[in-house]
Amino acid sequence: FFYATNEGASDAYVKLYNKPTAPTVGTDVPEMTIRVPAAASGAPGLANPNMGGSNAPRFALGLGIAITRNAVYTDTTAVGAGEVKVKLSRTT
C-alpha cells in the first residue's frame, strides 16, 4: 500500500530502496521512484500507485525510503519540512 500527498508548489519524488540499511540518498540507486505532483488550487498533489498483486515490488532485503525534489537518483535536493506525507505498508 502506498499513498502520498504533496502540499508544495513543485513536484516531489519518493524513492524506495531494496536494502537492509538506511539508503544513502544521491548514491544508492532506488528500486522505484514515484512522482508526487505539486499542489494545485489549494489541493495537495496525490500519488496512489497500485503496489499490490503478483507483480508488486518485493524489497526482499528491506525497505528504505527517501524524498527529493528531482527524479534523478543522484539528486539530494530536500523538500520542505512537512511538505510531503507518505503512508506506506508492506507485507512479507
Side-chain angles (χ1 to χ4, degrees):
F1 173 81
F2 181 94
Y3 183 90
T5 58
N6 179 4
E7 296 178 1
S10 299
D11 291 350
Y13 294 85
V14 176
K15 299 173 182 180
L16 303 178
Y17 300 83
N18 181 24
K19 57 181 301 176
T21 59
T24 301
V25 180
T27 301
D28 290 334
V29 178
E31 260 322 284
M32 176 180 272
T33 299
I34 302 165
R35 177 181 162 264
V36 186
S41 301
L46 170 67
N48 187 15
N50 182 356
M51 302 277 285
S54 60
N55 293 324
R58 296 294 174 210
F59 302 99
L61 299 176
L63 179 58
I65 184 171
I67 303 170
T68 63
R69 181 61 62 207
N70 301 297
V72 64
Y73 84 88
T74 55
D75 183 59
T76 59
T77 308
V79 299
E83 187 173 298
V84 178
K85 296 171 181 66
V86 176
K87 291 188 179 196
L88 176 67
S89 66
R90 78 175 192 111
T91 58
T92 55

